[in-house]
Amino acid sequence: MKGSIPLVVMAAVLLALATLPYYVPYFYIFVATEVLIMGLLAGSYNLIFGYTGMLSFGHAAFFGFGAYITAMLLMHFEVPLLWAMIASMAGALVLAAIIGFFCVRLDEVYFAMLTLAFGMMVFAVALQWRSLTNGSDGISGFPLPEFGLGIDLTLADPMVYYYMVLVIVVLASAVLYLITRSPFGLMLKAISENPERVAFCGVNERRHRLIAFIIAGTFAGLSGALFAPFNRVANPDMVHWTQSAEPVLMTILGGAGYFMGPYFGAAVFVLLETWITSYTDQWMLFLGIVLALMVLFFRRGLLGTVLDRVMGR
Amino acid sequence: MTQPILAVQNLSKMFGGVHAVNNVSLDVQFRETVALIGPNGAGKTTFYNMISGRMKPTSGTIAFQGRDITGMPPHQISRLGISRSFQINNIFTELTARQNVEVALTALHGQAVSMFRLASRNRPIQEEAEQVLARLGLDDLAHQRAGVLSYGDKRLLEIAIVLATRPTLVLLDEPTAGMTPEETRHVTRLVRKLADSGDYTFVVTEHDMSVVFDLADRILVMHRGQRLAEGTPEEIRNNPEVRQAYLGEEEEEEAQA
């Protein structure tokens, strides 16, 4: 019985999301779209953070890279969005393989620092290579093309874009979820607890961590590909280290122990940001207070704490 | 004599200027049970760490089934058939007891990178894991989170993980440390049974001398990183040097206690 609670909750959430445009103000369609995109970013991040135990501070590199690839392809070649998204995932995969190759050699704080360092390098390239990236202004003013595969979607309509994002995020998250429940996912959980013991079971744990890093980066690239057309710009902010902090904060906010935790954290994060910034400029102060309280009293995150209670863990 | 399954030659490990292990050689024959004893700090665990790939030796060579494995990484050594337990419990506390064993079995069956199936529906591996747990009398605890098991059961689960990798050579590092006399007898019987099955070769470090004399075909005594003596339990028991350097200390301690 208790095992089915998360499934019931997930079904209810999906139903609510599918019918959302019919009962919320128009403005919240934008908020919900951002929540979904950020949810995928945080969800992909949790594959390496929560499941494998790797604290990366460079996840925005893949998110931003994906955003730039899609923005450039739309700007210069007007390719269908689906192909742009696939290109973004492929690009992020390659970048994650390169960065990951070096980073998984290190553990803990050194791993974190190296991901941060690579993130800064990617940011520097995005900012300085003006002929390609248009510097700090970024790439904007690109047209929103067709979706591809002959599917007729008016992507410029926020409601249509919302539903497209919903479908893609749900599909991508389903893939991520299955990975966490696979034999490979079991290995990741074991590695997060005790990488050495896993190695003594005959597993090349470094290779496992690299594969997880690449998968997470690839889905972050997809998240970026969804974000650029939504935001109508790809700029260096999206690869900045403060952007890398967001999936970390969202995951801690929602809870790393459950698959839905980071998604929930993304929703809380975006909603709080929306509400608080409409009253005051002190968003960061509020966020800081909330995070401090979370880390002090609710280590398992908001969703994690609630589900722990319900499931009697 | 036939070729030894494990051939350690002139193995040394320096930490700073100190020899933790100093020029120790050991040949272990297939199906033999060798005990490695010595007071704390004798270098037993460092010796294990080098054989299992956790540490690279400063000098010397290690051959397993005739193949040089000196300096190989742990996962490769494990795949060749050497598995070790740890002195301190080294299990996955957040996973269930069965999942702990499944980790080792998943690796053994080459499914460690398998992503397109559910681990929870992997019946062959689950059944095998249950069999391994049953061998250790842990079958009732299969679905318990490993972190909540009793100390003795955690030590047994550690051995279950070791066996699940289907090793030919098993290195046990103080398998009965911290156990109650009852649990110690259980583990001793278990290792005896496994050794008698003829599938395994054991190297065991142990502080409990009754366990050592009960299990070992041969004993290597280490003292301050060096080989002090080697022989049958009978020979070691009667070796005056050993009595003085090691057993004597124990007896003195016991006399004081």
Side-chain angles (χ1 to χ4, degrees):
Chain A
M1 262 317 274
K2 280 184 173 171
S4 60
I5 290 172
L7 281 177
V8 173
V9 172
M10 214 181 278
V13 169
L14 278 181
L15 189 69
L17 287 171
T19 53
L20 192 80
Y22 299 99
Y23 58 84
V24 297
Y26 188 65
F27 169 70
Y28 277 93
I29 295 174
F30 293 93
V31 177
T33 308
E34 189 175 343
V35 166
L36 287 169
I37 297 172
M38 288 302 141
L40 178 59
L41 178 64
S44 72
Y45 178 72
N46 202 34
L47 185 71
I48 52 173
F49 178 64
Y51 285 94
T52 323
M54 299 193 282
L55 175 61
S56 165
F57 285 129
H59 210 50
F62 314 117
F63 173 75
F65 194 48
Y68 269 101
I69 289 174
T70 288
M72 284 179 197
L73 288 175
L74 297 188
M75 185 81 165
H76 302 299
F77 303 102
E78 297 188 24
V79 299
L81 186 58
L82 179 65
W83 305 126
M85 288 192 293
I86 290 170
S88 287
M89 289 178 80
L93 184 151
V94 172
L95 186 66
I98 296 167
I99 293 178
F101 175 81
F102 296 101
C103 293
V104 299
R105 269 142 225 284
L106 305 177
D107 289 317
E108 320 235 324
V109 72
Y110 302 101
F111 169 84
M113 287 305 106
L114 197 55
T115 57
L116 182 62
F118 275 108
M120 289 162 117
M121 287 183 232
V122 174
F123 170 74
V125 171
L127 190 66
Q128 304 291 340
W129 195 352
R130 292 217 175 79
S131 60
L132 187 71
T133 64
N134 201 24
S136 58
D137 291 336
I139 296 165
S140 59
F142 47 81
L144 270 185
E146 54 180 331
F147 179 75
L149 295 178
I151 298 170
D152 186 23
L153 294 177
T154 318
L155 293 175
D157 180 346
M159 185 133 96
V160 172
Y161 200 78
Y162 167 76
Y163 277 114
M164 183 204 76
V165 167
L166 178 62
V167 169
I168 291 172
V169 168
V170 167
L171 288 178
S173 302
V175 173
L176 276 173
Y177 179 71
L178 289 178
I179 290 172
T180 66
R181 303 297 301 264
S182 70
F184 176 73
L186 178 65
M187 290 295 155
L188 297 187
K189 273 178 237 168
I191 288 169
S192 79
E193 249 201 86
N194 195 337
E196 190 174 46
R197 192 74 190 86
V198 176
F200 282 108
C201 290
V203 177
N204 186 347
E205 51 97 12
R206 189 182 283 177
R207 193 179 60 149
H208 268 68
R209 297 200 305 154
L210 177 60
I211 295 170
F213 194 83
I214 292 172
I215 294 169
T218 304
F219 282 101
L222 174 61
S223 165
L226 292 169
F227 197 66
F230 169 69
N231 216 25
R232 297 295 171 94
V233 64
N235 61 27
D237 287 349
M238 293 179 194
V239 280
H240 196 242
W241 61 271
T242 51
Q243 179 66 49
S244 284
E246 282 191 13
V248 188
L249 303 182
M250 289 166 180
T251 303
I252 289 168
L253 214 52
Y258 288 93
F259 183 79
M260 289 306 293
Y263 294 83
F264 187 77
V268 173
F269 186 95
V270 173
L271 284 171
L272 278 180
E273 186 179 25
T274 307
W275 292 331
I276 292 170
T277 48
S278 66
Y279 291 109
T280 159
D281 291 335
Q282 303 305 321
W283 154 237
M284 279 296 158
L285 177 65
F286 278 90
L287 180 64
I289 292 169
V290 170
L291 274 168
L293 291 174
M294 297 298 309
V295 173
L296 284 171
F297 301 112
F298 302 104
R299 289 264 171 89
R300 300 273 294 164
L302 289 171
L303 186 74
T305 305
V306 172
L307 280 180
D308 278 355
R309 284 276 164 80
V310 178
M311 315 260 293
R313 272 201 204 168
Chain B
M1 262 208 200
T2 52
Q3 185 197 38
I5 186 168
L6 181 72
V8 178
Q9 269 177 9
N10 308 99
L11 204 61
S12 294
K13 179 73 187 178
M14 305 262 293
F15 293 118
V18 184
H19 266 107
V21 172
N22 191 356
N23 203 25
V24 175
S25 299
L26 172 69
D27 281 355
V28 180
Q29 299 297 322
F30 183 50
R31 292 179 179 170
E32 195 178 22
T33 297
V34 174
L36 191 58
I37 65 171
N40 285 330
K44 295 166 294 182
T45 298
T46 306
F47 190 70
Y48 268 22
N49 284 342
M50 289 189 280
I51 297 173
S52 61
R54 198 186 203 182
M55 288 175 183
K56 283 193 167 62
T58 309
S59 64
T61 59
I62 307 158
F64 177 64
Q65 294 174 326
R67 184 173 170 178
D68 185 11
I69 60 163
T70 319
M72 259 191 199
H75 70 269
Q76 279 178 17
I77 289 177
S78 168
R79 283 178 197 170
L80 291 175
I82 300 180
S83 193
R84 69 170 289 181
S85 74
F86 291 81
Q87 216 175 88
I88 301 158
N89 277 328
N90 212 344
I91 56 176
F92 309 109
T93 54
E94 292 294 320
L95 306 181
T96 65
R98 193 179 75 182
Q99 282 176 322
N100 268 269
V101 179
E102 282 173 31
V103 168
L105 290 173
T106 304
L108 177 72
H109 293 298
Q111 295 180 9
V113 285
S114 159
M115 294 180 204
F116 302 104
R117 70 170 97 185
L118 290 173
S120 57
R121 298 267 168 82
N122 209 340
R123 273 321 285 168
I125 285 204
Q126 288 170 350
E127 274 164 22
E128 200 180 333
E130 279 158 16
Q131 283 164 14
V132 174
L133 289 174
R135 277 171 94 176
L136 292 145
L138 292 173
D139 32 346
D140 292 342
L141 303 169
H143 297 288
Q144 293 280 335
R145 208 163 57 78
V148 303
L149 297 181
S150 73
Y151 179 81
D153 287 339
K154 281 180 184 160
R155 303 280 314 161
L156 287 174
L157 183 58
E158 169 96 36
I159 297 176
I161 299 172
V162 169
L163 294 183
T165 65
R166 281 198 208 152
T168 32
L169 174 64
V170 180
L171 311 173
L172 296 177
D173 200 354
E174 302 203 12
T176 70
M179 281 188 162
T180 64
E182 175 66 28
E183 289 167 337
T184 300
R185 275 194 297 279
H186 179 54
V187 168
T188 311
R189 269 200 306 272
L190 189 93
V191 175
R192 175 92 271 164
K193 212 167 91 187
L194 292 168
D196 289 345
S197 75
D199 298 329
Y200 303 100
T201 305
F202 281 101
V203 179
V204 184
T205 72
E206 188 52 69
H207 271 302
D208 187 331
M209 282 307 124
S210 65
V211 175
V212 169
F213 288 124
D214 194 12
L215 288 177
D217 301 315
R218 209 149 49 86
I219 298 174
L220 171 71
V221 187
M222 286 178 71
H223 187 54
R224 295 189 184 143
Q226 287 180 314
R227 197 184 93 149
L228 186 69
E230 192 186 328
T232 63
E234 204 53 34
E235 287 166 356
I236 295 301
R237 215 193 294 259
N238 299 324
N239 184 320
E241 244 186 318
V242 175
R243 291 186 74 90
Q244 200 185 0
Y246 181 63
L247 299 176
E249 286 176 22
E250 289 264 308
E251 275 162 21
E252 272 168 37
E253 277 170 30
E254 273 165 31
Q256 284 168 2

